[in-house]
Amino acid sequence: MSRTLPPLTPHDALLVIDMQNDFVSPAGALSVRGGEEIIPGINALAARFPHVILTQDWHPRGHISFASTHGLQPFTDTVQAPYGTQTLWPDHCIQNTSGAALHSALDIPNTELILRKGFRKDIDSYSAFLENDRTTPTGLAGYLRERGLTRLFFCGLAYDFCVGFSAIDAVQHGFTAIVLQDLARAVALPTTVETTNDRFAALNIPRIHASHLAL
Ligand code: VGL
Ligand code: ZN
């Protein structure tokens, strides 16, 4: 755990991952435990960041990642997609539904970009950079590069899926990534949190608390 970090610069961006009703609300379709409690901290941190980018999971009906599409069970069943094993989820974040909307308590007026991902019916996308086929780009790397945003701080949901994959891909695209552990919550399927922590460690991705950020 890092204790101090250099102060923020104009090259720093906060990426707020998938703070949508279906993940955040206890009654959401794919509710992540503790999702609501990180909202105030995210709002407060975002207000002090020079740049803020939000992501939105944005699936069509019948999406490949929905268990219902295959007549299978969410969380435990998987399918073999052309790109490999795809975990199956409850129907969630369907385009233009209230479940896909950003949570109403999220209050980040200085948001510069809302990036939608997972909109291709046959490819899921945990990462904000690369879809689950690991080859289809979302365009975010080019956007960040063109804007000179080089150091990226990650918070939101879910720690072990979209936050984790995004931070890892950020490093693999040449960006510096830092994860705000206290401002993220996990789905926590068996082994997913451990696997995420191991991958962060292997790539030297720091996990810090927002209070350790010298703003
Ligand atoms: C996510 C599972 C399915 C996430 C999105 O935001 O972490 N997890 N779709
Ligand atoms: Zn999804």
Side-chain angles (χ1 to χ4, degrees):
M1 185 86 60
S2 292
R3 309 230 162 261
T4 55
L5 276 173
L8 294 183
T9 79
H11 302 287
D12 292 337
L14 180 66
L15 274 84
V16 180
I17 305 296
D18 295 1
M19 289 297 287
Q20 300 161 260
N21 290 322
D22 274 341
F23 297 123
V24 174
S25 299
L30 182 31
S31 182
V32 178
R33 189 184 301 272
E36 282 182 323
E37 67 198 27
I38 63 176
I39 294 176
I42 291 175
N43 288 342
L45 185 63
R48 304 169 73 176
F49 250 79
H51 305 285
V52 182
I53 294 166
L54 271 50
T55 66
Q56 219 175 358
D57 211 33
W58 198 251
H59 300 311
R61 291 181 196 281
H63 192 249
I64 188 171
S65 78
F66 295 171
S68 66
T69 300
H70 312 277
L72 294 172
Q73 292 304 309
F75 303 111
T76 49
D77 288 344
T78 60
V79 285
Q80 286 311 122
Y83 52 79
T85 303
Q86 172 66 52
T87 298
L88 296 177
W89 306 103
D91 291 19
H92 65 280
C93 296
I94 294 173
Q95 296 169 358
N96 270 356
T97 62
S98 58
L102 296 166
H103 194 281
S104 61
L106 204 66
D107 184 13
I108 312 181
N110 55 328
T111 299
E112 295 175 354
L113 172 73
I114 302 176
L115 179 101
R116 288 172 171 169
K117 61 180 179 61
F119 48 74
R120 289 182 177 81
K121 199 172 183 186
D122 298 317
I123 315 178
D124 200 6
S125 189
Y126 297 143
S127 164
F129 291 90
L130 276 186
E131 300 194 13
N132 285 12
D133 62 359
R134 312 312 293 146
T135 57
T136 304
T138 64
L140 181 60
Y143 172 90
L144 294 168
R145 221 169 273 133
E146 190 163 14
R147 296 200 53 208
L149 303 175
T150 52
R151 190 169 66 155
L152 311 177
F153 292 77
F154 292 87
C155 63
L157 303 173
Y159 177 80
D160 44 348
F161 285 92
C162 292
V163 173
F165 278 72
S166 297
I168 288 161
D169 281 354
V171 170
Q172 314 227 310
H173 283 78
F175 299 94
T176 298
I178 295 159
V179 174
L180 292 152
Q181 184 157 248
D182 57 323
L183 297 181
R185 291 293 183 274
V187 171
L189 299 186
T191 76
T192 53
V193 171
E194 260 185 84
T195 300
T196 301
N197 290 341
D198 291 349
R199 288 180 182 153
F200 285 168
L203 290 170
N204 290 312
I205 297 174
R207 293 186 271 139
I208 69 163
H209 284 209
S211 61
H212 296 153
L213 254 184
L215 292 170

